[in-house]
Amino acid sequence: MDSMGDVLLAGPAVRAVAHGAERVVLLAGPRGADAAALLPGVDRVVTWCAPWIDPAPPPVERGDVDRLVRVLAGVGADRAVVLTSFHQSPLPLALLLRMAGVPWIGAVSDDYPGSLLDLRHRVATAVPEHERALSLAAAAGYPRPPGDRGLPAVRRPLPDTRHLTGPDGYVAVHVGADAPAREIPELLATDTVAALTARGDRVVVTGAAHEEARAKAVAAGTGTSVAGRTSTAELADVLDRARVLVSGNTGPAHLAAAVGTPVVSLFSPVVPASAWAPQGVRVRVLGDQEAPCAGSRARVCPVPGHPCLTSVTTDDVLAAVDALLDEEER
């Protein structure tokens, strides 16, 4: 019930459940609902903003909660598998599912669940998030399907976006993130776009609608900005057509991985890269992973100057891009 990246990393577990279930209804938050609709195996998406998960939570209102319980009761689910990130509790949702009459509920929970869970699953800390979710699915009786690699993926075909980007084969640079601490510094992004275009690479800059002005500034007249002009499915196609993505630790980095595009990840260690780095593709993680902010889960950098990422140079980024492109050619 979190954002795009969380939903995409849950995708392998969702496919495992879908392989053993007649129908899958995915309850998603508004920040992740579009990504949920891209997941193979999902038959229906129900959207609700969880006050205990969303970073800008709405007030808890009884009428809103009652409406969700009625919707969940109408789904007629026999079982619920509650997929959470390592720092989130499944118990508020488990309570609502019980109120909706769901007879069996499983989740990862360090907290005592009482009668809220039928399966209380435990997972070691800092394991890759998609593996964490897969282990819960397996414990719930939904092992990974035969031949499924257990990695993030999206439904295809994707909408064609060449009218926005031009031909395939560009370098994509994504600006922004849900949390400011996890986004690529704007100056570094701008210098990277300029350096890439100066050496002859085509660059497409992506971003959300509220990041459109920043994306245009980063493109600086040399790259092409498509920020605010794509749906989540269209963004997936933009990233699919790129040779490599340069991005902070944010949902589009996981979307790039889900379509098979390698990623240069400017990764602030506020959460561990071992759990949250893009999975299933070639990745270069940049940034000081031992910085003072490590493990803080801070949304805004608590260290003056944001040194974990501002210490990364344009040359560092270009070297990482070149390493990934060289591996592609070999």
Side-chain angles (χ1 to χ4, degrees):
M1 298 190 68
D2 210 324
S3 300
M4 178 194 295
D6 309 81
V7 170
L8 292 167
L9 288 171
V14 172
R15 295 197 306 273
V17 171
H19 181 70
E22 294 180 4
R23 184 170 62 110
V24 171
V25 176
L26 184 60
L27 177 63
R31 297 172 187 264
D34 288 346
L38 287 176
L39 294 184
V42 173
D43 297 295
R44 176 187 172 191
V45 177
V46 173
T47 305
W48 189 71
C49 189
W52 63 91
I53 288 181
D54 196 89
V60 178
E61 297 182 351
R62 179 168 180 170
D64 187 38
V65 173
D66 287 344
R67 280 190 294 273
L68 175 67
V69 170
R70 288 195 297 270
V71 169
L72 294 176
V75 166
D78 302 295
R79 295 164 71 85
V81 179
V82 182
L83 301 171
T84 53
S85 299
F86 74 96
H87 59 280
Q88 296 169 346
S89 172
L91 299 185
L93 181 56
L95 174 61
L96 300 185
L97 289 164
R98 286 287 192 232
M99 293 173 65
V102 178
W104 189 96
I105 304 169
V108 176
S109 183
D110 291 326
D111 297 324
Y112 171 65
S115 60
L116 296 180
L117 298 180
D118 299 280
L119 168 66
R120 180 190 186 187
H121 186 55
R122 300 292 187 92
V123 182
T125 59
V127 300
E129 283 286 301
H130 73 293
E131 293 182 6
R132 182 178 185 274
L134 275 169
S135 74
L136 170 60
Y142 302 102
R144 196 171 73 193
D148 190 314
R149 297 174 60 212
L151 295 170
V154 297
R155 297 179 188 265
R156 293 178 182 269
L158 296 169
D160 192 327
T161 57
R162 282 175 289 190
H163 63 288
L164 296 175
T165 65
D168 302 1
Y170 42 83
V171 176
V173 175
H174 184 80
V175 301
D178 276 352
R182 296 191 279 107
E183 62 190 23
I184 183 172
E186 185 170 342
L187 179 59
L188 177 60
T190 303
D191 289 348
T192 296
V193 171
L196 287 166
T197 55
R199 72 179 196 178
D201 290 305
R202 283 196 308 119
V203 180
V204 172
V205 180
T206 62
H210 68 275
E211 296 157 347
E212 186 173 353
R214 186 191 309 181
K216 287 182 178 178
V218 167
T222 58
T224 299
S225 173
V226 298
R229 302 171 65 190
T230 59
S231 65
T232 300
E234 289 168 331
L235 177 59
D237 186 70
V238 170
L239 299 175
D240 189 29
R241 298 181 186 281
R243 295 180 69 193
V244 62
L245 169 69
V246 178
S247 174
N249 173 25
T250 185
H254 298 290
L255 189 59
V259 298
T261 298
V263 180
V264 175
S265 177
L266 280 293
F267 200 99
S268 169
V270 290
V271 293
S274 60
W276 288 101
Q279 298 292 323
V281 295
R282 290 171 285 116
V283 177
R284 289 291 183 274
V285 173
L286 302 180
D288 180 6
Q289 299 305 298
E290 305 298 325
C293 64
S296 66
R297 302 208 300 258
R299 294 185 56 80
V300 177
C301 180
V303 182
H306 202 16
C308 67
L309 294 186
T310 55
S311 60
V312 178
T313 68
T314 304
D315 287 343
D316 293 333
V317 177
L318 265 60
V321 168
D322 289 341
L324 292 174
L325 296 181
D326 287 345
E327 290 178 15
E328 176 186 53
E329 293 171 358
R330 286 202 296 268

